[in-house]
Amino acid sequence: LGDADPPDLLAFAWLREHVPITWLGISDRFLALCGDCSRRNIRIELSKSERSAVGLLPRICADFQALLGNECSSALANGFKIELEAAAIGWKTL
């Protein structure tokens, strides 16, 4: 399971080059399973280094948009990430 952020996506891309794994982390599908939690409330601003790493994703994890879905990919493009802990808290407060 991984966060919808550059470090976790880059680690996933590296790992799948070496072992057969599947992305089960934060994605539009995962958030839909959480129910109607406010997705704006669970977004966290990317750090400077994370913002820089977003530019690496198309080269290193070319399918990151398909893994995350449109909403989570848009969050990254707009400078935000969604972490498992934040999604769990949003889910728990329903």
Side-chain angles (χ1 to χ4, degrees):
L1 292 176
D3 301 329
D5 65 13
D8 284 14
L9 288 161
L10 293 170
F12 170 77
W14 182 86
L15 282 169
R16 77 173 167 189
E17 291 294 321
H18 303 283
V19 294
I21 60 172
T22 302
W23 179 259
L24 296 176
I26 295 290
S27 66
D28 291 355
R29 183 172 180 232
F30 180 92
L31 294 178
L33 292 172
C34 289
D36 192 27
C37 60
S38 173
R39 294 194 176 108
R40 284 193 190 275
N41 292 337
I42 62 173
R43 291 180 180 186
I44 301 165
E45 191 171 345
L46 294 171
S47 69
K48 185 177 179 180
S49 61
E50 288 171 326
R51 274 185 259 125
S52 296
V54 169
L56 296 173
L57 290 174
R59 272 194 347 246
I60 304 213
C61 187
D63 63 340
F64 79 96
Q65 292 173 319
L67 295 172
L68 297 181
N70 292 331
E71 187 174 342
C72 290
S73 295
S74 291
L76 275 180
N78 290 310
F80 294 92
K81 62 184 174 181
I82 302 171
E83 294 185 344
L84 285 166
E85 300 87 348
I89 290 169
W91 192 358
K92 191 174 183 178
T93 59
L94 290 177

